[in-house]
Amino acid sequence: MTRGGRDKDREAAPERRCLVTGEVQPKAGLVRFVAGPDGTVVPDLAEKLPGRGFWVTADRAALQKAAEKGLFSRGAKAHVRAEPDLVDGIEAALARRVVELISLSRKAGDAVAGFEKVKGWLADGKAKVLFQASDGSDRGKGKLWTPTGGRWFGCLTASELGLAFGRDHVIHSALAPGGLTDKVIRDASRLNGLRGHIGSSAAGKDSRADER
């Protein structure tokens, strides 16, 4: 807590207002947009593009509503138009970003793939994030568990996870704390909203005690 009684973690998380819902929430759960020079809406997933930014919750329905109801123009305070494939394009771009970030984490030694390696990291408390392919066997995925105090994601397919590890497909992978992991969590959480997966829920067991 700070001297003023506010939580430091809360202060450290910048917040923005969603154009669609009107709710103020941590910007990690929203997508930033800017108006392009040609008057089109441009998603700024890296949050680095110049210009007035406006934000929408990372949810397919919210993004579609913003595009269909002309809400982006209100955020830009100018007439802008959204391309018909805007939402699908955001989903594809987020998937690429998550795959690329996991790949970089792997090269840094902060990510592993394969049931036994992932299980070992979970058992040793080395993992902060568990990824399991959305199209993998539920029976196999149920044998692993969400890291204590960590996250589970099921927003990537086996082929997409495979790309991150230079393989045809991967069902299970884990990331260690630090490095690029916080960025992976941010973008995977956004991708969950586009693909309808609940990133805070475990695909398998909740703790090692259940595995014994």
Side-chain angles (χ1 to χ4, degrees):
M1 299 288 287
T2 64
R3 288 184 179 181
R6 297 182 64 185
D7 189 290
K8 289 183 179 180
D9 292 337
R10 187 172 180 179
E11 282 195 327
E15 296 181 328
R16 298 292 186 272
R17 185 182 301 277
C18 172
L19 277 177
V20 176
T21 66
E23 296 178 355
V24 176
Q25 58 180 295
K27 70 177 187 177
L30 299 101
V31 177
R32 183 179 188 263
F33 296 87
V34 297
D38 59 351
T40 59
V41 174
V42 179
D44 178 22
L45 301 180
E47 301 174 9
K48 293 181 179 180
L49 293 178
R52 177 187 178 86
F54 38 102
W55 303 74
V56 177
T57 301
D59 172 81
R60 176 170 286 274
L63 290 165
Q64 288 177 334
K65 183 175 181 179
E68 294 168 0
K69 302 295 184 180
L71 300 182
F72 286 121
S73 294
R74 186 174 70 188
K77 297 190 180 303
H79 178 70
V80 294
R81 67 182 185 280
E83 297 292 349
D85 62 348
L86 175 68
V87 180
D88 288 339
I90 294 171
E91 177 185 334
L94 281 171
R96 287 194 299 271
R97 285 176 62 85
V98 175
V99 168
E100 290 168 1
L101 288 168
I102 295 175
S103 178
L104 290 172
S105 296
R106 171 184 63 83
K107 293 174 182 177
D110 293 330
V112 293
F115 182 85
E116 293 300 333
K117 287 184 178 180
V118 171
K119 183 178 179 181
W121 271 33
L122 290 170
D124 293 341
K126 295 173 61 176
K128 182 175 182 179
V129 178
L130 170 65
F131 271 91
Q132 293 183 302
S134 59
D135 50 349
S137 163
D138 288 340
R139 181 178 180 182
K141 291 191 292 185
K143 295 179 181 179
L144 297 177
W145 59 92
T146 301
T148 301
R151 298 289 299 274
W152 170 86
F153 291 103
C155 54
L156 295 177
T157 66
S159 295
E160 288 170 333
L161 271 177
L163 285 174
F165 290 91
R167 304 180 187 179
D168 290 335
H169 68 277
V170 165
I171 303 299
H172 315 280
S173 66
L175 277 70
L180 296 169
T181 297
D182 286 344
K183 289 185 178 181
V184 175
I185 291 173
R186 179 196 65 186
D187 286 335
S189 297
R190 291 169 172 168
L191 184 58
N192 277 342
L194 274 292
R195 292 187 169 178
H197 294 280
I198 304 173
S200 60
S201 299
K205 300 178 185 298
D206 294 327
S207 67
R208 284 175 287 176
D210 293 331
E211 184 71 11
R212 293 170 184 167

